[in-house]
Amino acid sequence: MTAPPAPPLRVGKSAVGVVSILAGAIGTLESVVSPTLPLLQRELSISPAQGALLSIAMLVTGALTAPIAGVLGDRHGGKRVMIWLMVVVSAGGLVSSLAPNLPVLLFGQALEGAMVGAMPLSFILMRKLLPAEESPVAIGVVSGFFVGGGMLGTLIAGPIAEGLSWHWMFAIPTLAVVVATVFVHRVLPDDQPTRSDARIDWPGVALLSGIVLTFMFGLATAPDMGAQPLLLVVAVVLLAAFVTGWIAVERRAASPMFDLRLLARPAIWRSYVLTFAICVGAALSIYLVPQLFAVSGDGYGFGASSTDIGRYLLPAAAMAAISGPLGGLGTRRFGSTAVLAVGIGVMTAGLIGMAFIHTEVWHLVVGKALLSLANGVCITALVIKTATSVDHGSTGTATSLVLVIRVLGFATGAQIGGAVLTAGTPAGSDVPAESAYVAAFVIASVVTALSLFVVRSMSKGVKE
């Protein structure tokens, strides 16, 4: 049962500020593993396959936590559930920072994955606590801090791990999360629940878990599927079974975790398709650019150190930080369709530019900065489009699935990038050919450009 929305409270900039700072802190903690994965493999004496498991542990648990957090936030109040989640995240950060081996570190990362659920909760709070005309910009600010925090984590993880130890790269962001959570608890007013049916659809959660895990399994085993086609058959059959079962359960559940009727709305399903496509293109650039900086190939690459790479990515971090507020302002003034069209156009141009022009460091610096800005603007516009296309009682549920799809998109893009570079590495060498980078960037630009066809149809029959 959906309760009528309460009048928005005048919370002021301080409340938006503390939620944004918390988003930045968890974004930082989320991103420290990826740039230091080779170092962690050396320090913990783990294989590349085990390193790959470490790199996706948080993504998997985060994708599973987000829908539950969104439902709980709709039904119990966003602030209360956010505090609970941050306790779990802080515990995970502490476990990770003290981990003596891979199993303990994996457990810590699994706990940290609960942070993904904080994003739909922050969107719930912004819609509840702010007037309608102000909430899009506030959502953009929170999204921008999360993206900016992710870039900050990418920048500082290497220097901290090399200068202190890899334990500190978990400990420092965890301390920031704890401090920000205390401020959220003290500054943010309590919000009233918008749903009275507080039951969680556990069968739906279990089946969605199966979908995510099977999808990740398919990506992880993709390089071996050519030699073992049975793996492909098993992955496809399992995925189809889980999807079919999830749809059947959600249609019949008295209190479903996701109301499938929302998917009948063009604004919702198109937002999900766009989120996946845009994140695939963005993930390819996130994966490829640092490697192109670091590689020293035959006539290409720059042989950059971890510190150099962090410095080169600094402009992209700045662009990511302002992309959320810019996306919120642009959406409020011009509408999400216009913002998405411009953002996707910039992303496509940047990817094509880096594919064929990457002979100087500044070529990649500028291209990556443009991509970070455009990607952040697009994701913000999509989140706002999704959040404002449903009633207040469904905000967390609808936006949480955006985050699940975001995770799947990033995982897909990274896997595609790795597969293309592996296929483009000559026999007897560990350095991919330059043509492999070109091909990967072109694939990313094609996927991104094709999403424009979805954007063109977004406003048909839908009032912006």
Side-chain angles (χ1 to χ4, degrees):
M1 179 178 179
T2 302
L9 301 174
R10 296 286 179 173
V11 296
K13 296 180 180 178
S14 59
V16 179
V18 295
V19 175
S20 299
I21 292 171
L22 178 59
I26 62 178
T28 303
L29 183 59
E30 180 194 44
S31 62
V32 296
V33 168
S34 179
T36 57
L37 193 56
L39 181 148
L40 290 172
Q41 291 178 192
R42 293 195 303 269
E43 292 286 335
L44 297 173
S45 300
I46 60 178
S47 67
Q50 292 171 319
L53 178 62
L54 179 61
S55 69
I56 67 171
M58 187 187 300
L59 291 177
V60 173
T61 56
L64 303 180
T65 302
I68 300 174
V71 172
L72 289 176
D74 285 332
R75 299 174 183 178
H76 296 289
K79 177 185 172 181
R80 180 187 301 178
V81 180
M82 181 180 284
I83 299 298
W84 293 345
L85 284 180
M86 290 305 102
V87 171
V88 176
V89 171
S90 299
L94 179 62
V95 170
S96 297
S97 65
L98 299 175
N101 51 43
L102 178 62
V104 177
L105 183 55
L106 283 173
F107 178 64
Q109 290 296 288
L111 293 176
E112 286 182 36
M115 70 176 65
V116 180
M119 295 310 292
L121 295 175
S122 68
F123 304 147
I124 291 172
L125 290 169
M126 294 303 98
R127 289 199 72 194
K128 285 183 179 179
L129 302 178
L130 291 170
E133 67 274 10
E134 295 180 15
S135 60
V137 177
I139 290 174
V141 170
V142 173
S143 298
F145 268 79
F146 179 75
V147 175
M151 292 302 298
L152 178 63
T154 301
L155 293 172
I156 67 174
I160 290 176
E162 293 172 355
L164 298 173
S165 78
W166 64 266
H167 298 279
W168 282 102
M169 74 182 189
F170 294 109
I172 293 174
T174 299
L175 179 61
V177 170
V178 171
V179 173
T181 302
V182 171
F183 278 103
V184 167
H185 176 68
R186 295 179 63 88
V187 174
L188 215 64
D190 292 326
D191 60 306
Q192 294 300 314
T194 54
R195 299 285 295 270
S196 59
D197 45 346
R199 292 177 299 169
I200 295 179
D201 173 25
W202 289 114
V205 171
L207 289 167
L208 182 62
S209 302
I211 292 172
V212 174
L213 292 173
T214 304
F215 189 84
M216 293 296 187
F217 167 78
L219 291 178
T221 57
D224 300 324
M225 287 182 178
Q228 302 181 52
L230 183 59
L231 285 175
L232 175 61
V233 175
V234 171
V236 171
V237 170
L238 279 177
L239 187 60
F242 279 125
V243 170
T244 302
W246 183 69
I247 291 174
V249 166
E250 295 303 284
R251 291 181 65 182
R252 297 173 183 173
S255 180
M257 67 176 296
F258 184 81
D259 187 351
L260 293 178
R261 290 175 297 180
L262 293 177
L263 290 176
R265 303 182 186 182
I268 300 298
W269 69 260
R270 287 168 180 157
S271 292
Y272 293 162
V273 172
L274 283 170
T275 298
F276 183 81
I278 290 170
C279 287
V280 168
L284 275 161
S285 72
I286 291 171
Y287 177 82
L288 294 170
V289 170
Q291 297 206 47
L292 194 49
F293 278 135
V295 73
S296 182
D298 184 13
Y300 77 101
F302 306 97
S305 66
S306 297
T307 302
D308 290 333
I309 293 173
R311 190 169 67 249
Y312 296 155
L313 292 177
L314 187 58
M319 292 297 100
I322 67 171
S323 64
L326 187 62
L329 289 169
T331 300
R332 184 173 68 176
R333 181 165 184 177
F334 303 108
S336 58
T337 302
V339 171
L340 285 166
V342 173
I344 291 171
V346 172
M347 282 188 67
T348 303
L351 289 165
I352 293 175
M354 288 192 293
F356 299 104
I357 306 175
H358 50 255
T359 56
E360 301 290 341
V361 167
W362 71 267
H363 295 160
L364 295 177
V365 170
V366 172
K368 187 67 178 70
L370 288 175
L371 280 168
S372 294
L373 176 64
N375 178 64
V377 166
C378 287
I379 295 301
T380 300
L382 286 168
V383 169
I384 294 172
K385 180 76 171 178
T386 303
T388 56
S389 296
V390 298
D391 58 39
H392 284 262
S394 300
T395 301
T397 304
T399 56
S400 64
L401 199 55
V402 171
L403 298 177
V404 173
I405 293 170
R406 173 180 174 268
V407 167
L408 298 180
F410 272 108
T412 301
Q415 184 61 43
I416 291 173
V420 172
L421 293 190
T422 299
T425 301
S429 173
D430 58 357
V431 179
E434 183 178 7
S435 59
Y437 286 94
V438 174
F441 277 123
V442 169
I443 291 171
S445 67
V446 170
V447 172
T448 305
L450 287 175
S451 63
L452 282 172
F453 289 103
V454 180
V455 174
R456 287 186 61 187
S457 65
M458 282 192 74
S459 60
K460 292 181 179 180
V462 180
K463 186 176 180 180
E464 188 60 48

